[in-house]
Amino acid sequence: MPDWVQPVVDYILREGLPNTLKVAAVAVTGSAIVGLLFGTLLTIRFLPLRALLRLYLEVFRGLPILVTVFIVYFGLPTLSSSLRFTALTATAIALILWGSAQVAEATRGAVQSIPREQHEAASALGFGWVGRHTFVILPQAVRRLLPPFVSLLANIIQNTTLAQVIGGLELLEAAERQNERLTAPPPIGLGEIHSFAIFGFVAAIFFVLSFPLTRLAAYLEKRLVV
């Protein structure tokens, strides 16, 4: 094995991969919490609230995620110094805004697909709106939400690479830094260009992370969605 390989692999796995997984974990958790709440609220008949939530969904589903990243990282600090975030945090926030809009729309559809008889039965048992949705409706809706949610997780993992654009140290940025180190004069490796191998390794990592999730989503869709 060439001498340059082990340091590159170690750096990418030690510095890039953990940050990618942390951003993805935060983004998925935030997307699930906000999306489930907003999606459920979209089913009520209070029109002003539904209009505000619909605006939220349309804005963040329609904007390119990179634009949202720039708004969070560059735009919010101009409004207040307390809204200044690190590159990884800004990326996680942008992914939450985008992901929660996806989850909210899916949740709305899943909640509305639950038969009205389930709502009526829960009401007859004495549940109010909150209790009805918390204990009866959402548990049934979540079953239908699992396939798109697993697919969303794969998309979020892939989109963590947007942090690289603003200097966040994730998988792609770690690979870029190692590539620059090896090709900067005087070049390490006697002038050889190792870009294909380095970024191919990153591509393999993303494939290993994403492919099982896409297969799991397809499996869940066949087994759970009726």
Side-chain angles (χ1 to χ4, degrees), residues 12 48 81 142 146 159 168 174:
I12 292 174
S81 58
V142 165
L146 280 177
N159 282 313

Side-chain angles (χ1 to χ4, degrees), residues 118-120 122-123 127-138:
Q118 295 293 318
H119 293 264
E120 295 172 350
S123 297
F127 287 108
W129 187 91
V130 174
R132 185 166 72 247
H133 283 79
T134 301
F135 298 108
V136 179
I137 304 304
L138 276 179

Side-chain angles (χ1 to χ4, degrees), residues 43 62 75 106 141 171 204 209:
T43 63
L171 273 172
L209 293 174

